[in-house]
Amino acid sequence: VFAMYGEQNRIRTKAEHENGQDLLRMKVMQLEWLFKGEEGKTWDIIAVDDGCPNDSIGLARKIKADEAYKNVILLNLQEAIDQTIPFFVDDRGLKNTKDSRKGGAILYALYWAAKHWPKEQHNMFSFFSKPATPHYIMYTDSDLSTDMSLCGLLSAGIMIDGCSMSMGARYGMPETFLVKDKCALGHPESHYDQPNMMKIVFRHYQRVRLLPMLTGIYDTQCAFKCFKLKHIPEIIEQVKSMGPDFDMELLLCALKFYQQKKGVPQAK
């Protein structure tokens, strides 16, 4: 899942615009590489227009048509308003797309996916039935700062390590890295290179003092998080923000949800 706002340049190729990243085709190529040869595993991309005045979704639709993509889903946050979906219009007071700053678009994609994907079901009448196929949902930024092939590593936090959810980090712990203009800086250089390093340190100190559940989570704003799709309705039920603090509130609501479920491991 990713939101689109003002992506009329980055969605184009480098030949079409100097800032072009060909982001939609690149994300598809990265996921095709990751899933190549993997039987019984599928993937989909959900891109949501966050009210872009420059027709990002129109450009995405053209690419989808040109490439005949079958597993790229394009949504528009305006749909939630036009359909007067109570979750958005009544509960969160969404009157127009200007009320959203990425958060509304990501929230709509999570809501939409939970409504439209088939439920995980076990055959309760067969002792030898196969386990239900799990569905995971992840969200990221629209640019190419995060390679989609890392979705395999992200999902491993749940599938292999047994955590309730998994999230990426750009700094604060070994093996993290932050993509800069000229290169990707690893830990701890990526932290030292921040011009507002002391502000980040003080912010984290305050955050952990006020919200102890965030202990060990340094990069709360990293837009690379993974959840079990079946838990999304309960997680997003209490998420009200559609602005810049959306990542933090979603994380807190997820932590609260999993801590209330007995026997569920902590998030990674």
Side-chain angles (χ1 to χ4, degrees):
V1 170
F2 66 91
M4 297 186 296
Y5 188 91
E7 300 300 337
Q8 68 279 359
N9 297 334
R10 285 192 296 201
I11 202 170
R12 291 184 164 94
T13 64
K14 199 72 173 178
E16 294 173 313
H17 193 278
E18 61 178 350
N19 295 323
Q21 294 184 354
D22 202 11
L23 64 90
L24 185 56
R25 289 188 184 92
M26 290 300 297
K27 288 181 186 294
V28 170
M29 288 174 59
Q30 290 164 356
L31 286 169
E32 286 178 338
W33 176 87
L34 178 64
F35 283 82
K36 185 177 181 180
E38 293 290 333
E39 295 184 5
K41 300 181 180 69
T42 61
W43 59 270
D44 296 90
I45 287 177
I46 303 178
V48 190
D49 190 296
D50 200 26
C52 175
N54 300 315
D55 197 30
S56 292
I57 195 169
L59 295 169
R61 284 169 178 159
K62 184 178 185 304
I63 294 171
K64 177 181 177 179
D66 291 345
E67 302 293 340
Y69 290 143
K70 301 297 183 183
N71 47 357
V72 173
I73 299 162
L74 301 175
L75 304 177
N76 196 321
L77 181 58
Q78 185 63 42
E79 298 166 6
I81 302 170
D82 296 342
Q83 298 170 22
T84 60
I85 298 176
F87 182 89
F88 292 94
V89 177
D90 296 338
D91 300 343
R92 285 150 186 83
L94 183 66
K95 296 181 175 60
N96 59 67
T97 56
K98 291 182 179 180
D99 294 334
S100 171
R101 292 295 183 272
K102 186 189 86 167
I106 299 297
L107 197 60
Y108 181 46
L110 298 177
Y111 174 91
W112 188 94
K115 292 286 185 182
H116 288 79
W117 250 263
K119 306 296 182 185
E120 297 176 22
Q121 295 180 338
H122 291 270
N123 184 351
M124 61 186 296
F125 299 104
S126 175
F127 179 79
F128 299 102
S129 63
K130 294 182 179 180
T133 302
H135 292 84
Y136 303 105
I137 189 161
M138 313 172 189
Y139 76 89
T140 186
D141 285 331
S142 57
D143 61 23
L144 301 180
S145 58
T146 300
D147 192 309
M148 290 298 93
S149 62
L150 290 172
C151 288
L153 184 61
L154 189 66
S155 62
I158 299 176
M159 298 175 67
I160 297 176
D161 297 338
C163 295
S164 305
M165 62 182 182
S166 184
M167 67 197 73
R170 297 162 294 182
Y171 54 81
M173 61 185 66
E175 299 183 5
T176 59
F177 62 90
L178 180 63
V179 177
K180 307 292 285 186
D181 293 336
K182 297 181 180 180
C183 63
L185 290 176
H187 175 79
E189 288 78 10
S190 61
H191 179 65
Y192 297 147
D193 191 62
Q194 292 280 359
N196 56 345
M197 179 186 71
M198 294 308 299
K199 179 180 178 181
I200 293 175
V201 171
F202 185 62
R203 181 185 67 187
H204 179 68
Y205 171 79
Q206 285 187 310
R207 202 160 47 193
V208 171
R209 297 284 291 184
L210 296 171
L211 302 165
M213 65 176 66
L214 292 177
T215 300
I217 302 176
Y218 301 100
D219 192 3
T220 58
Q221 302 306 110
C222 181
F224 197 44
K225 295 182 174 68
C226 176
F227 306 91
K228 295 179 181 179
L229 183 58
K230 65 181 181 180
H231 294 154
I232 286 296
E234 293 169 282
I235 290 174
I236 66 175
E237 183 62 32
Q238 300 300 319
V239 179
K240 302 297 182 182
S241 173
M242 293 180 288
D245 55 341
F246 166 79
D247 293 276
M248 171 72 84
E249 188 176 13
L250 178 67
L251 176 58
L252 290 172
C253 288
L255 287 170
K256 180 180 178 181
F257 167 73
Y258 286 122
Q259 288 176 354
Q260 289 175 343
K261 288 175 67 66
K262 293 182 179 179
V264 176
Q266 290 291 324
K268 178 181 179 182

mmCIF file with all atom_site columns, all heavy atoms in Angstrom, residues 157-179:
data_model
loop_
_atom_site.group_PDB
_atom_site.id
_atom_site.type_symbol
_atom_site.label_atom_id
_atom_site.label_alt_id
_atom_site.label_comp_id
_atom_site.label_asym_id
_atom_site.label_entity_id
_atom_site.label_seq_id
_atom_site.pdbx_PDB_ins_code
_atom_site.Cartn_x
_atom_site.Cartn_y
_atom_site.Cartn_z
_atom_site.occupancy
_atom_site.B_iso_or_equiv
_atom_site.pdbx_formal_charge
_atom_site.auth_seq_id
_atom_site.auth_comp_id
_atom_site.auth_asym_id
_atom_site.auth_atom_id
_atom_site.pdbx_PDB_model_num
ATOM 1   N N   . GLY A 1 157 ? 9.451  -11.129 10.049 1.00 0.00 ? 157 GLY A N   1
ATOM 2   C CA  . GLY A 1 157 ? 9.276  -10.801 11.462 1.00 0.00 ? 157 GLY A CA  1
ATOM 3   C C   . GLY A 1 157 ? 8.054  -11.463 12.056 1.00 0.00 ? 157 GLY A C   1
ATOM 4   O O   . GLY A 1 157 ? 8.027  -11.822 13.241 1.00 0.00 ? 157 GLY A O   1
ATOM 5   N N   . ILE A 1 158 ? 7.026  -11.656 11.231 1.00 0.00 ? 158 ILE A N   1
ATOM 6   C CA  . ILE A 1 158 ? 5.800  -12.315 11.683 1.00 0.00 ? 158 ILE A CA  1
ATOM 7   C C   . ILE A 1 158 ? 5.855  -13.808 11.383 1.00 0.00 ? 158 ILE A C   1
ATOM 8   O O   . ILE A 1 158 ? 5.600  -14.645 12.250 1.00 0.00 ? 158 ILE A O   1
ATOM 9   C CB  . ILE A 1 158 ? 4.559  -11.683 10.999 1.00 0.00 ? 158 ILE A CB  1
ATOM 10  C CG1 . ILE A 1 158 ? 4.458  -10.199 11.352 1.00 0.00 ? 158 ILE A CG1 1
ATOM 11  C CG2 . ILE A 1 158 ? 3.288  -12.428 11.409 1.00 0.00 ? 158 ILE A CG2 1
ATOM 12  C CD1 . ILE A 1 158 ? 3.334  -9.475  10.639 1.00 0.00 ? 158 ILE A CD1 1
ATOM 13  N N   . MET A 1 159 ? 6.206  -14.161 10.147 1.00 0.00 ? 159 MET A N   1
ATOM 14  C CA  . MET A 1 159 ? 6.127  -15.546 9.697  1.00 0.00 ? 159 MET A CA  1
ATOM 15  C C   . MET A 1 159 ? 7.165  -16.449 10.368 1.00 0.00 ? 159 MET A C   1
ATOM 16  O O   . MET A 1 159 ? 6.877  -17.603 10.676 1.00 0.00 ? 159 MET A O   1
ATOM 17  C CB  . MET A 1 159 ? 6.315  -15.601 8.180  1.00 0.00 ? 159 MET A CB  1
ATOM 18  C CG  . MET A 1 159 ? 5.254  -14.855 7.398  1.00 0.00 ? 159 MET A CG  1
ATOM 19  S SD  . MET A 1 159 ? 5.594  -14.833 5.614  1.00 0.00 ? 159 MET A SD  1
ATOM 20  C CE  . MET A 1 159 ? 5.405  -16.562 5.222  1.00 0.00 ? 159 MET A CE  1
ATOM 21  N N   . ILE A 1 160 ? 8.368  -15.927 10.584 1.00 0.00 ? 160 ILE A N   1
ATOM 22  C CA  . ILE A 1 160 ? 9.452  -16.753 11.120 1.00 0.00 ? 160 ILE A CA  1
ATOM 23  C C   . ILE A 1 160 ? 9.731  -16.456 12.592 1.00 0.00 ? 160 ILE A C   1
ATOM 24  O O   . ILE A 1 160 ? 9.861  -17.368 13.407 1.00 0.00 ? 160 ILE A O   1
ATOM 25  C CB  . ILE A 1 160 ? 10.734 -16.556 10.288 1.00 0.00 ? 160 ILE A CB  1
ATOM 26  C CG1 . ILE A 1 160 ? 10.487 -17.022 8.847  1.00 0.00 ? 160 ILE A CG1 1
ATOM 27  C CG2 . ILE A 1 160 ? 11.906 -17.313 10.905 1.00 0.00 ? 160 ILE A CG2 1
ATOM 28  C CD1 . ILE A 1 160 ? 11.640 -16.787 7.914  1.00 0.00 ? 160 ILE A CD1 1
ATOM 29  N N   . ASP A 1 161 ? 9.810  -15.157 12.918 1.00 0.00 ? 161 ASP A N   1
ATOM 30  C CA  . ASP A 1 161 ? 10.145 -14.786 14.297 1.00 0.00 ? 161 ASP A CA  1
ATOM 31  C C   . ASP A 1 161 ? 8.951  -14.856 15.241 1.00 0.00 ? 161 ASP A C   1
ATOM 32  O O   . ASP A 1 161 ? 9.116  -14.746 16.455 1.00 0.00 ? 161 ASP A O   1
ATOM 33  C CB  . ASP A 1 161 ? 10.737 -13.373 14.334 1.00 0.00 ? 161 ASP A CB  1
ATOM 34  C CG  . ASP A 1 161 ? 12.039 -13.284 13.554 1.00 0.00 ? 161 ASP A CG  1
ATOM 35  O OD1 . ASP A 1 161 ? 12.671 -14.338 13.360 1.00 0.00 ? 161 ASP A OD1 1
ATOM 36  O OD2 . ASP A 1 161 ? 12.415 -12.186 13.132 1.00 0.00 ? 161 ASP A OD2 1
ATOM 37  N N   . GLY A 1 162 ? 7.746  -14.995 14.675 1.00 0.00 ? 162 GLY A N   1
ATOM 38  C CA  . GLY A 1 162 ? 6.561  -15.161 15.513 1.00 0.00 ? 162 GLY A CA  1
ATOM 39  C C   . GLY A 1 162 ? 6.056  -13.901 16.171 1.00 0.00 ? 162 GLY A C   1
ATOM 40  O O   . GLY A 1 162 ? 5.325  -13.962 17.167 1.00 0.00 ? 162 GLY A O   1
ATOM 41  N N   . CYS A 1 163 ? 6.435  -12.729 15.636 1.00 0.00 ? 163 CYS A N   1
ATOM 42  C CA  . CYS A 1 163 ? 5.959  -11.470 16.204 1.00 0.00 ? 163 CYS A CA  1
ATOM 43  C C   . CYS A 1 163 ? 4.557  -11.147 15.698 1.00 0.00 ? 163 CYS A C   1
ATOM 44  O O   . CYS A 1 163 ? 4.076  -11.714 14.716 1.00 0.00 ? 163 CYS A O   1
ATOM 45  C CB  . CYS A 1 163 ? 6.916  -10.338 15.846 1.00 0.00 ? 163 CYS A CB  1
ATOM 46  S SG  . CYS A 1 163 ? 8.552  -10.548 16.587 1.00 0.00 ? 163 CYS A SG  1
ATOM 47  N N   . SER A 1 164 ? 3.906  -10.240 16.366 1.00 0.00 ? 164 SER A N   1
ATOM 48  C CA  . SER A 1 164 ? 2.543  -9.858  16.005 1.00 0.00 ? 164 SER A CA  1
ATOM 49  C C   . SER A 1 164 ? 2.517  -8.907  14.825 1.00 0.00 ? 164 SER A C   1
ATOM 50  O O   . SER A 1 164 ? 1.593  -8.913  14.019 1.00 0.00 ? 164 SER A O   1
ATOM 51  C CB  . SER A 1 164 ? 1.842  -9.197  17.200 1.00 0.00 ? 164 SER A CB  1
ATOM 52  O OG  . SER A 1 164 ? 1.883  -10.047 18.318 1.00 0.00 ? 164 SER A OG  1
ATOM 53  N N   . MET A 1 165 ? 3.516  -8.052  14.726 1.00 0.00 ? 165 MET A N   1
ATOM 54  C CA  . MET A 1 165 ? 3.634  -7.139  13.593 1.00 0.00 ? 165 MET A CA  1
ATOM 55  C C   . MET A 1 165 ? 5.117  -6.860  13.398 1.00 0.00 ? 165 MET A C   1
ATOM 56  O O   . MET A 1 165 ? 5.946  -7.198  14.243 1.00 0.00 ? 165 MET A O   1
ATOM 57  C CB  . MET A 1 165 ? 2.859  -5.846  13.834 1.00 0.00 ? 165 MET A CB  1
ATOM 58  C CG  . MET A 1 165 ? 3.327  -5.038  15.017 1.00 0.00 ? 165 MET A CG  1
ATOM 59  S SD  . MET A 1 165 ? 2.308  -3.569  15.239 1.00 0.00 ? 165 MET A SD  1
ATOM 60  C CE  . MET A 1 165 ? 3.139  -2.808  16.634 1.00 0.00 ? 165 MET A CE  1
ATOM 61  N N   . SER A 1 166 ? 5.439  -6.257  12.276 1.00 0.00 ? 166 SER A N   1
ATOM 62  C CA  . SER A 1 166 ? 6.838  -6.013  11.955 1.00 0.00 ? 166 SER A CA  1
ATOM 63  C C   . SER A 1 166 ? 6.966  -4.643  11.325 1.00 0.00 ? 166 SER A C   1
ATOM 64  O O   . SER A 1 166 ? 6.046  -4.181  10.632 1.00 0.00 ? 166 SER A O   1
ATOM 65  C CB  . SER A 1 166 ? 7.342  -7.098  10.989 1.00 0.00 ? 166 SER A CB  1
ATOM 66  O OG  . SER A 1 166 ? 8.716  -6.958  10.726 1.00 0.00 ? 166 SER A OG  1
ATOM 67  N N   . MET A 1 167 ? 8.085  -3.974  11.561 1.00 0.00 ? 167 MET A N   1
ATOM 68  C CA  . MET A 1 167 ? 8.252  -2.636  10.993 1.00 0.00 ? 167 MET A CA  1
ATOM 69  C C   . MET A 1 167 ? 9.711  -2.377  10.667 1.00 0.00 ? 167 MET A C   1
ATOM 70  O O   . MET A 1 167 ? 10.618 -2.956  11.286 1.00 0.00 ? 167 MET A O   1
ATOM 71  C CB  . MET A 1 167 ? 7.735  -1.576  11.960 1.00 0.00 ? 167 MET A CB  1
ATOM 72  C CG  . MET A 1 167 ? 8.528  -1.434  13.244 1.00 0.00 ? 167 MET A CG  1
ATOM 73  S SD  . MET A 1 167 ? 7.621  -0.541  14.506 1.00 0.00 ? 167 MET A SD  1
ATOM 74  C CE  . MET A 1 167 ? 6.425  -1.796  14.970 1.00 0.00 ? 167 MET A CE  1
ATOM 75  N N   . GLY A 1 168 ? 9.920  -1.537  9.692  1.00 0.00 ? 168 GLY A N   1
ATOM 76  C CA  . GLY A 1 168 ? 11.267 -1.164  9.317  1.00 0.00 ? 168 GLY A CA  1
ATOM 77  C C   . GLY A 1 168 ? 11.761 -0.012  10.174 1.00 0.00 ? 168 GLY A C   1
ATOM 78  O O   . GLY A 1 168 ? 11.008 0.612   10.923 1.00 0.00 ? 168 GLY A O   1
ATOM 79  N N   . ALA A 1 169 ? 13.046 0.259   10.073 1.00 0.00 ? 169 ALA A N   1
ATOM 80  C CA  . ALA A 1 169 ? 13.657 1.385   10.785 1.00 0.00 ? 169 ALA A CA  1
ATOM 81  C C   . ALA A 1 169 ? 14.811 1.904   9.942  1.00 0.00 ? 169 ALA A C   1
ATOM 82  O O   . ALA A 1 169 ? 15.521 1.131   9.301  1.00 0.00 ? 169 ALA A O   1
ATOM 83  C CB  . ALA A 1 169 ? 14.155 0.953   12.156 1.00 0.00 ? 169 ALA A CB  1
ATOM 84  N N   . ARG A 1 170 ? 14.983 3.208   9.953  1.00 0.00 ? 170 ARG A N   1
ATOM 85  C CA  . ARG A 1 170 ? 16.037 3.835   9.160  1.00 0.00 ? 170 ARG A CA  1
ATOM 86  C C   . ARG A 1 170 ? 17.269 4.174   9.987  1.00 0.00 ? 170 ARG A C   1
ATOM 87  O O   . ARG A 1 170 ? 18.322 4.477   9.439  1.00 0.00 ? 170 ARG A O   1
ATOM 88  C CB  . ARG A 1 170 ? 15.482 5.117   8.508  1.00 0.00 ? 170 ARG A CB  1
ATOM 89  C CG  . ARG A 1 170 ? 14.344 4.855   7.536  1.00 0.00 ? 170 ARG A CG  1
ATOM 90  C CD  . ARG A 1 170 ? 13.552 6.118   7.256  1.00 0.00 ? 170 ARG A CD  1
ATOM 91  N NE  . ARG A 1 170 ? 12.842 6.580   8.444  1.00 0.00 ? 170 ARG A NE  1
ATOM 92  C CZ  . ARG A 1 170 ? 12.036 7.659   8.465  1.00 0.00 ? 170 ARG A CZ  1
ATOM 93  N NH1 . ARG A 1 170 ? 11.881 8.373   7.366  1.00 0.00 ? 170 ARG A NH1 1
ATOM 94  N NH2 . ARG A 1 170 ? 11.415 8.004   9.573  1.00 0.00 ? 170 ARG A NH2 1
ATOM 95  N N   . TYR A 1 171 ? 17.132 4.141   11.290 1.00 0.00 ? 171 TYR A N   1
ATOM 96  C CA  . TYR A 1 171 ? 18.248 4.469   12.175 1.00 0.00 ? 171 TYR A CA  1
ATOM 97  C C   . TYR A 1 171 ? 17.940 3.938   13.568 1.00 0.00 ? 171 TYR A C   1
ATOM 98  O O   . TYR A 1 171 ? 16.834 3.492   13.853 1.00 0.00 ? 171 TYR A O   1
ATOM 99  C CB  . TYR A 1 171 ? 18.471 5.987   12.238 1.00 0.00 ? 171 TYR A CB  1
ATOM 100 C CG  . TYR A 1 171 ? 17.234 6.785   12.604 1.00 0.00 ? 171 TYR A CG  1
ATOM 101 C CD1 . TYR A 1 171 ? 16.820 6.918   13.924 1.00 0.00 ? 171 TYR A CD1 1
ATOM 102 C CD2 . TYR A 1 171 ? 16.461 7.401   11.624 1.00 0.00 ? 171 TYR A CD2 1
ATOM 103 C CE1 . TYR A 1 171 ? 15.693 7.625   14.263 1.00 0.00 ? 171 TYR A CE1 1
ATOM 104 C CE2 . TYR A 1 171 ? 15.320 8.114   11.953 1.00 0.00 ? 171 TYR A CE2 1
ATOM 105 C CZ  . TYR A 1 171 ? 14.939 8.227   13.275 1.00 0.00 ? 171 TYR A CZ  1
ATOM 106 O OH  . TYR A 1 171 ? 13.808 8.927   13.604 1.00 0.00 ? 171 TYR A OH  1
ATOM 107 N N   . GLY A 1 172 ? 18.941 3.948   14.433 1.00 0.00 ? 172 GLY A N   1
ATOM 108 C CA  . GLY A 1 172 ? 18.713 3.634   15.846 1.00 0.00 ? 172 GLY A CA  1
ATOM 109 C C   . GLY A 1 172 ? 19.154 2.255   16.281 1.00 0.00 ? 172 GLY A C   1
ATOM 110 O O   . GLY A 1 172 ? 19.204 1.975   17.478 1.00 0.00 ? 172 GLY A O   1
ATOM 111 N N   . MET A 1 173 ? 19.481 1.356   15.345 1.00 0.00 ? 173 MET A N   1
ATOM 112 C CA  . MET A 1 173 ? 19.891 0.005   15.721 1.00 0.00 ? 173 MET A CA  1
ATOM 113 C C   . MET A 1 173 ? 20.732 -0.608  14.611 1.00 0.00 ? 173 MET A C   1
ATOM 114 O O   . MET A 1 173 ? 20.668 -0.161  13.460 1.00 0.00 ? 173 MET A O   1
ATOM 115 C CB  . MET A 1 173 ? 18.670 -0.865  16.025 1.00 0.00 ? 173 MET A CB  1
ATOM 116 C CG  . MET A 1 173 ? 17.719 -1.053  14.860 1.00 0.00 ? 173 MET A CG  1
ATOM 117 S SD  . MET A 1 173 ? 16.230 -1.982  15.313 1.00 0.00 ? 173 MET A SD  1
ATOM 118 C CE  . MET A 1 173 ? 15.450 -0.824  16.446 1.00 0.00 ? 173 MET A CE  1
ATOM 119 N N   . PRO A 1 174 ? 21.533 -1.613  14.938 1.00 0.00 ? 174 PRO A N   1
ATOM 120 C CA  . PRO A 1 174 ? 22.375 -2.254  13.930 1.00 0.00 ? 174 PRO A CA  1
ATOM 121 C C   . PRO A 1 174 ? 21.555 -2.779  12.750 1.00 0.00 ? 174 PRO A C   1
ATOM 122 O O   . PRO A 1 174 ? 20.398 -3.175  12.913 1.00 0.00 ? 174 PRO A O   1
ATOM 123 C CB  . PRO A 1 174 ? 23.038 -3.405  14.705 1.00 0.00 ? 174 PRO A CB  1
ATOM 124 C CG  . PRO A 1 174 ? 23.022 -2.950  16.129 1.00 0.00 ? 174 PRO A CG  1
ATOM 125 C CD  . PRO A 1 174 ? 21.744 -2.170  16.290 1.00 0.00 ? 174 PRO A CD  1
ATOM 126 N N   . GLU A 1 175 ? 22.159 -2.773  11.571 1.00 0.00 ? 175 GLU A N   1
ATOM 127 C CA  . GLU A 1 175 ? 21.594 -3.275  10.318 1.00 0.00 ? 175 GLU A CA  1
ATOM 128 C C   . GLU A 1 175 ? 20.558 -2.338  9.713  1.00 0.00 ? 175 GLU A C   1
ATOM 129 O O   . GLU A 1 175 ? 19.951 -2.666  8.695  1.00 0.00 ? 175 GLU A O   1
ATOM 130 C CB  . GLU A 1 175 ? 21.015 -4.682  10.484 1.00 0.00 ? 175 GLU A CB  1
ATOM 131 C CG  . GLU A 1 175 ? 22.053 -5.714  10.918 1.00 0.00 ? 175 GLU A CG  1
ATOM 132 C CD  . GLU A 1 175 ? 21.470 -7.119  11.004 1.00 0.00 ? 175 GLU A CD  1
ATOM 133 O OE1 . GLU A 1 175 ? 20.302 -7.304  10.641 1.00 0.00 ? 175 GLU A OE1 1
ATOM 134 O OE2 . GLU A 1 175 ? 22.195 -8.018  11.456 1.00 0.00 ? 175 GLU A OE2 1
ATOM 135 N N   . THR A 1 176 ? 20.326 -1.182  10.328 1.00 0.00 ? 176 THR A N   1
ATOM 136 C CA  . THR A 1 176 ? 19.443 -0.201  9.706  1.00 0.00 ? 176 THR A CA  1
ATOM 137 C C   . THR A 1 176 ? 20.282 0.724   8.833  1.00 0.00 ? 176 THR A C   1
ATOM 138 O O   . THR A 1 176 ? 21.491 0.847   9.011  1.00 0.00 ? 176 THR A O   1
ATOM 139 C CB  . THR A 1 176 ? 18.705 0.642   10.767 1.00 0.00 ? 176 THR A CB  1
ATOM 140 O OG1 . THR A 1 176 ? 19.677 1.309   11.591 1.00 0.00 ? 176 THR A OG1 1
ATOM 141 C CG2 . THR A 1 176 ? 17.814 -0.221  11.636 1.00 0.00 ? 176 THR A CG2 1
ATOM 142 N N   . PHE A 1 177 ? 19.623 1.343   7.861  1.00 0.00 ? 177 PHE A N   1
ATOM 143 C CA  . PHE A 1 177 ? 20.317 2.309   7.020  1.00 0.00 ? 177 PHE A CA  1
ATOM 144 C C   . PHE A 1 177 ? 19.332 3.347   6.522  1.00 0.00 ? 177 PHE A C   1
ATOM 145 O O   . PHE A 1 177 ? 18.127 3.104   6.431  1.00 0.00 ? 177 PHE A O   1
ATOM 146 C CB  . PHE A 1 177 ? 21.016 1.622   5.831  1.00 0.00 ? 177 PHE A CB  1
ATOM 147 C CG  . PHE A 1 177 ? 20.082 0.906   4.894  1.00 0.00 ? 177 PHE A CG  1
ATOM 148 C CD1 . PHE A 1 177 ? 19.533 1.565   3.810  1.00 0.00 ? 177 PHE A CD1 1
ATOM 149 C CD2 . PHE A 1 177 ? 19.753 -0.426  5.102  1.00 0.00 ? 177 PHE A CD2 1
ATOM 150 C CE1 . PHE A 1 177 ? 18.667 0.910   2.939  1.00 0.00 ? 177 PHE A CE1 1
ATOM 151 C CE2 . PHE A 1 177 ? 18.887 -1.080  4.234  1.00 0.00 ? 177 PHE A CE2 1
ATOM 152 C CZ  . PHE A 1 177 ? 18.344 -0.421  3.150  1.00 0.00 ? 177 PHE A CZ  1
ATOM 153 N N   . LEU A 1 178 ? 19.853 4.505   6.225  1.00 0.00 ? 178 LEU A N   1
ATOM 154 C CA  . LEU A 1 178 ? 19.049 5.622   5.764  1.00 0.00 ? 178 LEU A CA  1
ATOM 155 C C   . LEU A 1 178 ? 19.557 6.042   4.385  1.00 0.00 ? 178 LEU A C   1
ATOM 156 O O   . LEU A 1 178 ? 20.741 6.332   4.210  1.00 0.00 ? 178 LEU A O   1
ATOM 157 C CB  . LEU A 1 178 ? 19.147 6.795   6.737  1.00 0.00 ? 178 LEU A CB  1
ATOM 158 C CG  . LEU A 1 178 ? 18.351 8.063   6.384  1.00 0.00 ? 178 LEU A CG  1
ATOM 159 C CD1 . LEU A 1 178 ? 16.863 7.754   6.357  1.00 0.00 ? 178 LEU A CD1 1
ATOM 160 C CD2 . LEU A 1 178 ? 18.643 9.163   7.385  1.00 0.00 ? 178 LEU A CD2 1
ATOM 161 N N   . VAL A 1 179 ? 18.657 6.042   3.401  1.00 0.00 ? 179 VAL A N   1
ATOM 162 C CA  . VAL A 1 179 ? 19.031 6.412   2.040  1.00 0.00 ? 179 VAL A CA  1
ATOM 163 C C   . VAL A 1 179 ? 19.188 7.926   1.946  1.00 0.00 ? 179 VAL A C   1
ATOM 164 O O   . VAL A 1 179 ? 18.252 8.675   2.232  1.00 0.00 ? 179 VAL A O   1
ATOM 165 C CB  . VAL A 1 179 ? 17.973 5.923   1.027  1.00 0.00 ? 179 VAL A CB  1
ATOM 166 C CG1 . VAL A 1 179 ? 18.331 6.388   -0.385 1.00 0.00 ? 179 VAL A CG1 1
ATOM 167 C CG2 . VAL A 1 179 ? 17.851 4.404   1.078  1.00 0.00 ? 179 VAL A CG2 1
#
